[in-house]
Amino acid sequence: MLLAIDCGNTNTVFSIWDGTRFLATWRTSTEHQRTADQYYVWLSTLMKLQKIEADITDVIVSSTVPRVVFNLRVLADRYFNTRPMVVGKPDCALPVAVRVDAGTQVGPDRLVNTVAGFDLHGGDLIVVDFGTATTFDVVAKDGAYEGGVIAPGVNLSLEALHQAAAALPHVDISKPQRVVGTNTVACMQSGVFWGYVGLVREICARIRAERGTPMKIIATGGLAPLFQQSEDLFDHFHDDLTMHGLTVIHDYNMRTA
């Protein structure tokens, strides 16, 4: 079985794939100090609690935090006796090569989302990922990653407001009842919510206009459903898009090895 690991700036997700479905998915905070032994104790305990008996033979990792990769490699080698595939490294091939400026390093999560989006919906896509940053990734007709846009994440924007202005509290993001707030929290929520609705709509419209072709908008990330239910901004939403992409990349490398 395959252990797929997606390490983001805020959280790291572990999923076990049996070839047809995910048996379980767990999330932990991303900490570069965490050792391979600590990862294994945490993971094996959760597997026992959920009565999951999985013979893990393969591991694939996508990580936007380079310092974490070493201990994840040790985890795979020490406890699962396998060399992990690491997205973005030369020995982990993508189905279609990226088309960006020479020397540009593209975040592994964006590459994985591109592969997943193309596998599920074909080409000519805009993949919007609501993570620590809000990213827009352009997927060409043939499935190649062709660049994108990076904006501050929703929660990051709220936290910046709170930290930079002493009078502004920390608030959770939600759709406000009215655009014009009558208290501080409502004002902040309105600014962030409608600001990001406008940001997503405008950036996607400009990408479509620049490329001169119809493009589906695919969303992923924890806050995507909030914006989708409120404004119908996206054509499709997938909460496990990155994990799906990791299974596709692993399968591609196994078939072409």
Side-chain angles (χ1 to χ4, degrees):
M1 293 186 186
L2 173 67
L3 175 62
I5 305 173
D6 171 33
C7 178
N9 291 298
T10 305
N11 293 314
T12 301
V13 181
F14 291 71
S15 290
I16 297 177
W17 173 256
D18 71 355
T20 58
R21 65 188 180 95
F22 288 110
L23 299 180
T25 296
W26 302 286
R27 185 180 300 268
T28 185
S29 59
T30 298
E31 298 177 6
H32 69 268
Q33 303 98 331
R34 187 169 291 159
T35 67
D37 301 328
Q38 289 174 315
Y39 277 121
Y40 182 72
V41 170
W42 172 80
L43 184 62
S44 60
T45 300
L46 289 172
M47 291 173 65
K48 289 178 182 177
L49 286 173
Q50 293 188 224
K51 296 181 171 57
I52 294 175
E53 297 182 4
D55 181 16
I56 295 172
T57 58
D58 296 271
V59 177
I60 185 167
V61 177
S62 168
S63 178
T64 60
V65 186
R67 296 172 68 185
V68 174
V69 174
F70 174 78
N71 283 324
L72 292 176
R73 285 184 180 275
V74 175
L75 170 71
D77 177 64
R78 180 177 298 167
Y79 291 104
F80 304 120
N81 194 31
T82 184
R83 178 189 174 96
M85 295 181 189
V86 180
V87 178
K89 299 300 182 183
D91 57 351
C92 183
L94 299 175
V96 183
V98 301
R99 290 197 284 268
V100 294
D101 294 343
T104 300
Q105 289 190 338
V106 181
D109 55 332
R110 306 180 76 181
L111 298 176
V112 176
N113 285 346
T114 295
V115 171
F118 182 73
D119 182 70
L120 293 169
H121 301 288
D124 287 329
L125 305 176
I126 303 170
V127 180
V128 185
D129 188 351
F130 290 86
T132 304
T134 300
T135 59
F136 301 75
D137 299 318
V138 174
V139 184
K141 187 174 183 178
D142 64 353
Y145 174 85
E146 290 194 327
V149 177
I150 301 175
V154 179
N155 288 320
L156 191 62
S157 294
L158 281 169
E159 189 64 27
L161 275 175
H162 170 60
Q163 291 184 357
L168 296 181
H170 178 80
V171 300
D172 294 324
I173 181 65
S174 64
K175 182 182 179 181
Q177 294 181 345
R178 294 182 298 273
V179 175
V180 178
T182 55
N183 58 70
T184 302
V185 170
C187 289
M188 292 174 66
Q189 289 177 331
S190 183
V192 172
F193 180 85
W194 294 114
Y196 271 86
V197 167
L199 180 144
V200 171
R201 183 173 285 136
E202 181 69 11
I203 287 179
C204 289
R206 287 183 176 272
I207 291 173
R208 284 169 163 167
E210 186 172 277
R211 296 181 69 85
T213 186
M215 303 180 76
K216 291 180 181 178
I217 302 174
I218 313 301
T220 189
L223 290 176
L226 171 66
F227 291 97
Q228 170 70 347
Q229 293 169 11
S230 301
E231 288 299 304
D232 196 28
L233 291 173
F234 317 115
D235 296 297
H236 300 281
F237 164 71
H238 299 281
D239 60 354
D240 60 350
L241 188 69
T242 306
M243 283 301 168
H244 177 76
L246 286 173
T247 67
V248 174
I249 292 172
H250 176 265
D251 181 64
Y252 174 77
N253 280 268
M254 295 301 289
R255 287 187 288 106
T256 57

